[in-house]
Each structure stands twice: as structure tokens, then as C-alpha cells.
Amino acid sequence: MSRLQRDWIRRFALLAAAGAFGLAAPLSATAGQRVPAAEIEGLFSGVTLDGIYNNGAFFSESYNIDGTIRYHDMDGSDSGQWSVRDGKFCTFYDSQEGACFFVERDGGNCFTFFAPEESGGPNAGPAKDWTSRGWDRRKPSTCKTAPEIHL
């Protein structure tokens, strides 16, 4: 097991333990509350989100105030640009595909990202299934369940 894998496992084990003992911050927003476009930039600018994809893979992504991104996952890292377009949070990368996502707030420090519905055309709403969840690494996660670890 690599050092990076051990560090991720240790970090998420601590988050799970904090949640199990009630140490995580209380939920301050209702699950499924869409983040208005006007608030997205302020929430993510200068923030690093640690997160998990719906397939269980972990990631970390820093959203710099100048609109640049630094992305890391178990497979490596990438750079790119982030922005807010048409009410969605968009991330585009130098070496991989990017996209725009609807953002829902699930508590004070949990954000769930949904791709637009594929068959909905330009005015599509969010897809039924979430794409990823992330939280500001400087604060305890308020995601409802601790992420599962897939090795």
C-alpha cells in the first residue's frame, strides 16, 4: 500500500470516528438544498475540497481564487480552470475531460455534485444520481455517512 493510500485511509477513518462519536459539526442546512449560482464562487474560491465519487474513489481539489484548479486522486494529479456558468459549477482540466455540475448543500460542510440530465438538452435539470461529494478540508465533514474505503 502506498503512502498516499495510507494517508487517505487514515484521514477518512478519523472522519468516520468523529461522526460516530458526535464530534462532527451539526447540520446547518437541509439535505438537497441547491446552492444558488451567486453563492457558488464565494463558497469554493480559495478552498480545497476533499471528496469521494459515487464509485467510492477519493479525490482532493483546490479551487484557487484566480480560477485555477489543482486536482489529485489515487491515479495522479492535474491542473485546469474552474468557473460558474449558467448556475452550475464548472471544472475543466489540462489533461482530462471536465464538465459543469449542479451543487446541492448537504449540511454545513458537505456539497453534492450532480451532472445535468443527459436527455434534457440545454435547460436540463440535475441527474437523479449524484456524481461526487466533497467538503472543505479545514472543517469537519457534515456528509451523512462516512465514505467507504475501496482498495
Side-chain angles (χ1 to χ4, degrees):
M1 182 180 304
S2 74
R3 191 189 76 153
L4 179 61
Q5 288 171 319
R6 284 190 302 274
D7 288 346
W8 276 111
I9 290 169
R10 188 176 304 121
R11 176 178 287 151
F12 290 106
L14 289 171
L15 286 172
F21 289 103
L23 300 174
L27 295 178
S28 64
T30 305
Q33 180 182 2
R34 175 98 36 92
V35 176
E39 294 178 21
I40 294 172
E41 185 173 346
L43 283 171
F44 297 142
S45 184
V47 170
T48 296
L49 291 186
D50 288 334
I52 187 169
Y53 290 107
N54 65 4
N55 67 3
F58 297 107
F59 70 91
S60 181
E61 189 163 59
S62 298
Y63 309 109
N64 301 313
I65 58 175
D66 65 358
T68 59
I69 297 172
R70 189 69 183 146
Y71 173 86
H72 304 275
D73 67 16
M74 299 282 268
D75 296 324
S77 62
D78 203 352
S79 297
Q81 301 289 318
W82 71 274
S83 62
V84 179
R85 298 181 193 166
D86 300 321
K88 293 181 269 315
F89 181 66
C90 302
T91 55
F92 293 95
Y93 306 93
D94 296 338
S95 303
Q96 59 185 318
E97 193 173 327
C100 295
F101 302 92
F102 291 96
V103 181
E104 291 186 2
R105 186 174 204 139
D106 292 319
N109 188 29
C110 183
F111 303 94
T112 304
F113 299 88
F114 294 84
E117 182 64 47
E118 287 184 25
S119 61
N123 296 318
K128 183 179 101 173
D129 294 324
W130 58 279
T131 302
S132 63
R133 285 198 172 106
W135 50 91
D136 183 339
R137 71 164 38 165
R138 300 171 298 180
K139 306 171 192 172
S141 170
T142 58
C143 295
K144 287 183 179 182
T145 57
E148 295 178 22
I149 297 172
H150 297 271
L151 300 175

